[in-house]
Structure formats: C-alpha cells, structure tokens
C-alpha cells in the first residue's frame, strides 16, 4: 500500500457526526484503522476503511494507524470548523434547462441544476469565505450574471461573474518558509508538517507571528486560533528545496505517453471531438512501467515533470470562442477532486 500524498485538513460542522472514507487516500483498500489519540474530536472506526468523526469545537486533531496488506502508516489528522454559509443564486432570464457552474464545483456544467420559481431559476449552495467565479449555463449556453456588477475577463472573450463571501480571516503572510503572520493575536496554532503535527518545541508564537523549526517535509498546513476566538485557515504552503544542478528534466504528458493496461477506457465517443482533442489512453500505470524498465535511465533523465493526474470531468466541452470546437480534459488541467487519481 502507498499513501497518496498527505491527508487533507477536514472541514466539519461542529457537533455533527460525519463519515470519512480514508480508502480514497491510499492505493489499495484499507483493512483496519487504529485510533491512537484524539483532541477536540470524538472518533471511532467503522467498516471498509471509514471512520466516524464529530468535531467538538473550532479545531480538533487525532493520530491514527492505518493498516492494509501488511503495511501500516501512522498519520495525524486535523479537523477545522466550517465557516460556510448558504448562498442563493438567481437567474431571472428565460430558458428551459438552467445550471450553475463555477470555481466552487470545477466548472461542471450539469452538476448544479437551478430550480424554476416565481422569482426565477434558483440554486442554493454552501460556500466558505472566499472569492468565487461563476456563470449560468442556459440551454447549453454560458451566460454572465447581469444582476451582479462584479465580473472579470474569462479568457475566452466573455466575462465571469464574481462572488465574494465574507466572514473570516482568510489570509496570512508567509514572510519566510519558517515565519508566518496572522491578522490577529494568536492563542494557539495547529501545524501539520506532512502528515505529522508539529510539537510545541518546534514552533513559537509571538503576538501575531509563528516561527517554525525542524521541518521534516516541504509541505505545511497551518490553522490559527485568536485570543478572541478568531479562526483562520487551513492554509497550505510548499517550502521548495533548491533545484538540482546539472540534471536533465523530462516533461511527460501522461495521456500521450504510454498506455499501461492495453486499453483506452476514457475515449469519448462523440463525432464532434477530433482525435487530437480526445483521450489517447496514456495512464499513470504506463509511467510506472517505463520507470521500472529503465527507459528514463537510458536517456539520462534525472527529473520527471508529469502533467496532472487528478480526477477530471467526464465528457467533452465546447470552446466559448469560434469555431466552438469540442475537446475533453485529456490534458489533466481541469481537476474536479485534488484527492482522487483519475482512473484512466
């Protein structure tokens, strides 16, 4: 079993039990989960690699041991109170089939249908504080919200509507890889370095500032709690090491590289999608096979840069600009879930 990157910071509603499936973060099924310790959460394992969690307040944490196929991983988990609010979107124009799409759902054009009411087509969704771009999809046509004065160029000759959800301290300053500044005076911080919470001996708090030391990986996730109960985070920072000197980098486009299982499971059957804009069958398994058979070693390659392998949307989508060609997400740059590997 291999762990797929790090576990996310889970955003939960306090006092509401929630089921979390840990199997999606590993390459093979989880056999069992041992809960080693908890702080601020109630937690117990259930069947098939799932746990039930209930957050008691603003922030909670737990340490677990995950078993699968004879392997085990000890991981720390961090849970943060949701600050989301229910936001109502209204489209007051005409149409038969109206959907809401935006940065909050990976621009999926048919995932959020809007319901026709006396005041127009309505959709309500929960959104955390932040900035979101969106459009209405009316009978297949992408339309800006003309009742919203905030907008920006969409890069395709049109404009996206912009929504700003207020209600939190959503930004901190990364002054250096070991120094972070919050917008309020701190009483406590939670810092995940990789999949382990930093002990208090490895960080210090001075007013609004946090200073870190003895970091073990290049990724940290940080949450701050203020003296007046403010909460900010989670924030993710990548602490980049110095690049290697004198190496040869190979850029690898996964879908176009090598098909590892001998079948193109993802090709879209649509006469409007040209072959060059469709899936061609390359997959992560093919990359692994070529790593093992020494292909890159034979070329003198020391660094691989691969295109994204996150889950991408199904189907094909039409370009907003003439001649309005259709193409798929074969390139990997339309992720809809950053914690799931695309099955193709």
């Amino acid at each position: 079993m291999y762990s797929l990157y790090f576990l996310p910071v889970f955003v939960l509603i306090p006092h509401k039990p929630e089921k979390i499936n840990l199997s999606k973060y590993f390459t093979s099924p989880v056999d069992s989960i041992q809960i080693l310790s908890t702080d601020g959460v109630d937690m117990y394992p259930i069947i098939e690699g799932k746990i039930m969690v209930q957050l008691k307040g603003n922030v909670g944490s737990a340490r677990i041991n995950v078993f699968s196929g004879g392997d085990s991983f000890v991981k720390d988990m961090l849970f943060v109170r949701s600050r989301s609010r229910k936001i109502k979107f209204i489209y007051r124009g005409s149409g038969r089939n109206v959907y809401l799409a935006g940065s909050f759902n990976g621009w999926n054009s048919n995932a959020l249908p809007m319901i026709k009411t006396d005041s127009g087509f309505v959709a309500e969704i929960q959104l955390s504080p932040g900035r979101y771009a969106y459009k209405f999809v009316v009978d297949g046509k992408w339309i800006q919200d003309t009742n919203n004065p905030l907008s920006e160029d969409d890069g395709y000759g049109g404009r996206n509507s912009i929504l700003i959800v207020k209600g939190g301290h959503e930004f901190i300053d990364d002054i250096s890889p070991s120094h972070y500044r919050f917008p309020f005076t701190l009483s406590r911080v939670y810092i995940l370095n990789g999949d382990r919470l930093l002990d208090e001996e490895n960080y210090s708090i001075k007013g609004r500032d946090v200073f870190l030391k003895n970091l073990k990986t290049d990724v940290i996730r940080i949450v701050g709690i203020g003296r007046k109960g403010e909460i900010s985070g989670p924030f993710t920072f990548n602490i980049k090491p110095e690049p290697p000197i004198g190496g040869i980098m190979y850029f690898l486009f996964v879908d176009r590289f090598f098909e590892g299982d001998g079948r193109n499971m993802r090709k879209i059957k649509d006469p409007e999608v040209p072959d060059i804009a469709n899936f061609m069958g390359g997959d992560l398994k093919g990359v692994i096979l070529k790593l093992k058979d020494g292909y890159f070693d034979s070329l003198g390659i020391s660094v691989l840069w691969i295109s994204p392998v996150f889950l991408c949307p199904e189907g094909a989508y039409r370009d907003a600009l003439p001649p309005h060609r259709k193409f798929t997400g074969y390139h990997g740059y339309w992720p809809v879930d950053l914690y799931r590997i695309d099955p193709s």
Side-chain angles (χ1 to χ4, degrees):
M1 176 181 70
Y2 297 96
S3 174
L4 296 179
Y5 202 54
F6 303 122
L7 295 179
V9 176
F10 295 91
V11 179
L12 305 178
I13 298 173
H15 311 296
K16 179 182 178 182
E18 185 160 338
K19 185 187 300 181
I20 296 175
N21 182 7
L22 291 178
S23 293
K24 66 186 291 187
Y25 305 108
F26 296 87
T27 57
S28 58
V30 173
D31 296 327
S32 63
I33 300 166
Q34 179 186 15
I35 298 172
L36 303 177
S37 63
T38 61
D39 178 21
V41 293
D42 292 324
M43 176 188 293
Y44 59 89
I46 51 181
I47 60 172
E48 298 176 348
K50 299 180 178 67
I51 55 174
M52 189 68 74
V53 181
Q54 181 170 295
L55 181 63
K56 297 179 181 180
N58 283 330
V59 184
S61 63
R63 176 164 292 179
I64 62 173
N65 199 0
V66 182
F67 298 89
S68 177
D71 295 321
S72 66
F73 290 91
V74 175
K75 292 180 176 287
D76 288 340
M77 302 180 69
L78 189 58
F79 308 92
V80 180
R81 173 176 61 85
S82 171
R83 282 99 76 203
S84 67
R85 297 163 45 197
K86 184 175 287 188
I87 304 295
K88 179 184 288 188
F89 294 83
I90 302 177
Y91 170 68
R92 293 187 169 87
S94 60
R96 296 182 61 188
N97 298 300
V98 182
Y99 294 85
L100 174 66
S103 56
F104 39 74
N105 73 338
W107 293 98
N108 192 317
S109 61
N110 56 13
L112 291 173
M114 303 187 73
I115 307 302
K116 189 172 184 179
T117 69
D118 292 340
S119 57
F121 290 86
V122 175
E124 291 186 327
I125 59 174
Q126 293 285 139
L127 291 176
S128 298
R131 183 180 186 275
Y132 303 93
Y134 71 95
K135 278 185 177 179
F136 301 122
V137 185
V138 181
D139 298 328
K141 184 178 180 181
W142 295 75
I143 295 178
Q144 178 186 346
D145 184 355
T146 55
N147 291 307
N148 180 356
L150 294 179
S151 67
E152 67 179 9
D153 191 326
D154 66 3
Y156 296 97
R159 299 193 69 78
N160 291 327
S161 297
I162 298 298
L163 171 69
I164 297 176
V165 180
K166 298 181 179 180
H169 302 277
E170 297 307 310
F171 302 97
I172 64 173
D173 295 324
D174 51 329
I175 296 172
S176 77
S178 60
H179 181 189
Y180 299 86
R181 177 168 294 158
F182 282 79
F184 46 75
T185 302
L186 291 161
S187 64
R188 185 173 180 180
V189 292
Y190 296 80
I191 303 157
L192 273 173
N193 184 210
D195 269 333
R196 289 300 181 92
L197 281 167
L198 281 186
D199 297 327
E200 291 186 6
E201 63 186 27
N202 290 319
Y203 68 85
S204 59
I205 298 174
K206 295 182 180 179
R208 298 190 298 139
D209 295 67
V210 181
F211 300 88
L212 314 181
K213 61 181 180 179
N214 298 327
L215 299 178
K216 303 299 183 183
T217 74
D218 295 332
V219 178
I220 67 166
R221 277 79 57 78
I222 184 169
V223 176
I225 305 295
R227 291 183 178 176
K228 297 181 180 180
E230 309 99 317
I231 181 171
S232 189
F235 302 101
T236 299
F237 295 97
N238 291 290
I239 305 167
K240 299 292 185 183
E242 290 296 320
I245 298 174
I248 300 176
M249 178 180 288
Y250 185 109
F251 175 70
L252 187 155
F253 206 107
V254 176
D255 181 72
R256 300 298 198 251
F257 180 65
F258 187 72
E259 190 172 357
D261 60 7
R263 51 185 179 148
N264 183 356
M265 298 183 295
R266 196 68 181 278
K267 188 171 184 178
I268 303 300
K269 295 180 180 179
D270 186 333
E272 293 189 73
V273 179
D275 286 341
I276 197 172
N278 211 332
F279 291 95
M280 291 190 177
D283 51 30
L284 197 55
K285 185 175 181 180
V287 177
I288 294 171
L289 287 175
K290 285 299 181 181
L291 275 169
K292 290 181 177 179
D293 72 11
Y295 173 74
F296 298 106
D297 291 336
S298 70
L299 298 176
I301 304 301
S302 57
V303 179
L304 275 184
W305 174 12
I306 69 173
S307 59
V309 295
F310 305 115
L311 183 68
C312 282
E314 297 287 344
Y317 296 84
R318 194 177 299 280
D319 195 342
L321 297 177
H324 305 295
R325 293 166 294 194
K326 293 182 74 174
F327 48 97
T328 67
Y330 67 90
H331 41 72
Y333 290 96
W334 294 344
V336 296
D337 191 332
L338 296 180
Y339 295 100
R340 293 177 62 189
I341 301 297
D342 197 277
S344 64

